[in-house]
Amino acid sequence: MCQICFEAVAGSGLMHFCHCGSPDTLAAMRRIEADLSRRQMLGGMAAVMGMFAGFGLAPKEGHAQAAGAPLLLTNLKYFDGNTLSLHSGVDILIEEGRIAALPAAGQGPAEAERIDCGGRTVIPGLIDSHWHTTLASVSQLAAMTQDIGFVHLMAGKEAGATLMRGFTTVRDVGGPAFGLHAAVDRGVVAGPRIFPAGAIISQTSGHGDFRFQNALPMMPVDQADYATKAGVSALADGVPEVLRRAREQLMKGASQIKIAAGGGVASQYDPLESLQFTEEEMRAAVNAATDWGTYVCAHVYTSAGIQRCIRAGVKSIEHGQLADEDTVRMMADHGTWWSIQPFLADEDANKYTDPKAVAAQKMVAEGTMRAFEWADKHKVNWSFGTDILYGGGETQAKQLTKLARFMSPLTALHRATGAAGDLLAMSGARAPYDGRLGVISEGAFADLLVIDGDAEAGLDWLADSDNLRVILKGGRIFKNSL
């Protein structure tokens, strides 16, 4: 008997049974708690929105279709994301955030809201398959030392800029992106769809070990370093630890798992040619991901590292520019994806003074040109990504234009739309979005760009966001300058 009922009985002298645990009482309490929670949530959301607005992060002005009213794009040509030619003679009908139909021109429903594209080309929203949402807009020093709230606010600001560059989806391959992913999906912040990997899983001394040498040796009683606590990386040595760290990222909502399987160009400790994680350790991450219906992608450059990854069951090679032709054949034979970035040691590349890093950067640039050639020659599945880190996000679209040096413009667009969408689909049930991305077809998400530019002749128009006249994500209009 609860205290209130006990006092009531004691004061009346009557026998009384407590009803506090009855179904009717519990149902009433749930209604009261739900109402209080709703009020607290609304108050909290108002405070969060105010905070984001003060930092320039409130959702961009946009609107969805009126309730029950479809949206119809008319007077257009379109690239479907896969076929290497433009289509015409149809309109694009959008309902409930998806492409409902491609009716013959002039045959769409009369009640639809219309956007006259003026004969322009419509393409799928772009996909960056190698992006670091929380690390793209801050320096490395800031990422590893500043208050994590500042890092996340900067990431939110960059997310809005990413969407305005025409990238409606990114595959995040390392960093604490889960919070921003939730905020974007809830409409608190404008940004692209995010496929988050969570922390990069790295061995001690590996590409994701950001500690200083004076932090060694690590002892069982030591607290986690800042990068680990912030969710940038997760250190693991041995099969049990790799299993644990992979499962932790899955628990957080990872759509794929990212491991570091080799060194980096400018890594402070790990040489570019170093092999990281044994095959058994890699297989542990693969088993954890496979058990949840998804896959592992791996940072690695060299042939030996790539081959170890393939033998362990890794499904996506990130970078890989130092692969020899036999290794590329092996990727093709195993159906392994290749996420290639246009690392060309050009004006947009990271600047190094260390002679070893300069030499490594040159090797990777030479390998990049071979990578495009061999990927095409051996029919490897590959997709476009940028890997922009620590500033330089404004060059994201410009990086895509560089692919036109090695292939036709529509082939390059395919690698950032239809092909990239196929790579994202490997997340299976762990994918955050239940629908096709990177294509213009019935049932696909209505992530679309209306462009000023000849997509068959070149991609230079991508470098200026003013040429993106309409940006839609999920049927919502985030920009319309027509």
Side-chain angles (χ1 to χ4, degrees):
M1 184 181 296
C2 73
Q3 183 66 25
I4 295 173
C5 293
F6 177 80
E7 292 174 353
V9 171
S12 66
L14 299 174
M15 182 175 290
H16 182 82
F17 294 98
C18 175
H19 294 283
C20 295
S22 70
D24 289 344
T25 304
L26 291 175
M29 290 299 295
R30 283 195 295 269
R31 289 195 296 272
I32 294 170
E33 289 173 355
D35 185 61
L36 289 173
S37 297
R38 181 183 64 84
R39 296 182 188 203
Q40 289 171 346
M41 182 194 73
L42 291 174
M45 285 291 287
V48 170
M49 289 292 286
M51 176 184 71
F52 280 124
F55 206 75
L57 301 184
K60 297 251 186 274
E61 189 66 31
H63 68 278
Q65 303 147 231
L71 177 65
L72 190 69
L73 305 188
T74 66
N75 191 12
L76 57 88
K77 298 173 290 185
Y78 77 94
F79 170 60
D80 65 16
N82 285 320
T83 307
L84 301 183
S85 61
L86 298 184
H87 306 274
S88 60
V90 302
D91 295 335
I92 301 176
L93 180 65
I94 299 167
E95 294 184 87
E96 298 182 352
R98 297 179 186 256
I99 298 171
L102 299 171
Q107 299 302 308
E111 71 276 12
E113 177 185 350
R114 281 170 162 72
I115 294 180
D116 185 339
C117 298
R120 295 176 178 84
T121 300
V122 182
I123 67 172
L126 301 174
I127 299 171
D128 190 331
S129 62
H130 192 114
W131 186 247
H132 295 276
T133 305
T134 50
L135 303 175
S137 61
V138 294
S139 69
Q140 185 172 9
L141 180 63
M144 297 303 165
T145 62
Q146 294 293 309
D147 185 275
I148 194 63
F150 169 77
V151 174
H152 286 308
L153 285 168
M154 291 296 290
K157 184 176 183 180
E158 184 65 32
T162 301
L163 180 60
M164 289 299 103
R165 291 190 289 265
F167 288 87
T168 54
T169 302
V170 297
R171 184 178 64 140
D172 189 285
V173 285
F178 297 114
L180 181 57
H181 162 70
V184 169
D185 285 356
R186 286 162 173 75
V188 177
V189 179
R193 303 178 191 273
I194 299 174
F195 279 67
I200 303 167
I201 302 175
S202 169
Q203 69 173 46
T204 294
S205 77
H207 189 63
D209 190 342
F210 298 106
R211 297 172 298 163
F212 294 111
Q213 288 181 335
N214 61 9
L216 305 179
M218 175 184 264
M219 305 302 290
V221 296
D222 289 345
Q223 290 190 356
D225 65 295
Y226 177 82
T228 299
K229 288 189 288 187
V232 175
S233 61
L235 300 183
D237 295 289
V239 168
E241 277 301 303
V242 172
L243 277 173
R244 181 192 302 273
R245 300 308 173 205
R247 288 166 175 169
E248 286 174 347
Q249 304 317 306
L250 292 166
M251 181 177 177
K252 289 181 177 181
S255 51
Q256 64 281 330
I257 295 297
K258 167 75 174 293
I259 65 172
V265 170
S267 295
Q268 190 169 4
Y269 307 119
D270 55 315
L272 182 65
E273 70 279 6
S274 64
L275 299 179
Q276 298 173 19
F277 282 133
T278 65
E279 192 172 323
E280 291 74 20
E281 288 172 316
M282 289 184 188
R283 193 172 290 111
V286 169
N287 288 341
T290 302
D291 285 347
W292 281 49
T294 185
Y295 69 98
V296 171
C297 59
H299 163 102
V300 62
Y301 283 96
T302 66
S303 293
I306 294 169
Q307 291 183 21
R308 181 180 290 185
C309 286
I310 294 172
R311 289 194 299 269
V314 170
K315 294 298 184 184
S316 177
I317 300 300
E318 309 299 311
H319 314 312
Q321 280 92 341
L322 300 185
D324 59 29
E325 193 166 7
D326 285 341
T327 301
V328 176
R329 289 193 191 96
M330 184 177 178
M331 293 171 66
D333 291 342
H334 286 78
T336 306
W337 275 85
W338 197 353
S339 172
I340 308 177
Q341 303 74 41
F343 293 156
L344 299 173
D346 56 12
E347 69 278 3
D348 299 314
N350 294 329
K351 308 303 178 186
Y352 303 118
T353 57
D354 179 6
K356 187 175 181 180
V358 172
Q361 186 180 50
K362 182 180 178 181
M363 289 173 55
V364 169
E366 293 169 353
T368 297
M369 291 182 277
R370 291 194 303 269
F372 293 130
E373 176 187 348
W374 286 345
D376 179 64
K377 177 180 178 181
H378 297 290
K379 309 304 179 188
V380 178
N381 293 322
W382 71 272
S383 67
F384 163 79
T386 59
D387 192 31
I388 292 172
L389 285 167
Y390 311 129
E394 68 278 359
T395 70
Q396 186 180 23
K398 183 181 177 184
Q399 302 291 341
L400 179 53
T401 70
K402 297 175 184 181
L403 297 194
R405 305 177 193 177
F406 307 98
M407 62 202 73
S408 74
L410 289 184
T411 298
L413 278 181
H414 164 62
R415 297 301 172 180
T417 54
D422 289 341
L423 172 57
L424 297 178
M426 288 207 307
S427 291
R430 300 287 75 75
Y433 313 99
D434 183 17
R436 293 190 68 194
L437 293 163
V439 295
I440 296 178
S441 64
E442 290 186 18
F445 281 115
D447 298 356
L448 304 168
L449 309 177
V450 179
I451 66 169
D452 269 340
D454 187 345
E456 291 181 301
L459 297 180
D460 288 346
W461 47 270
L462 268 172
D464 184 352
S465 61
D466 286 345
N467 291 321
L468 306 181
R469 302 301 299 275
V470 177
I471 300 174
L472 294 97
K473 190 186 84 171
R476 180 182 175 188
I477 302 171
F478 283 85
K479 177 182 178 181
N480 184 359
S481 64
L482 291 177

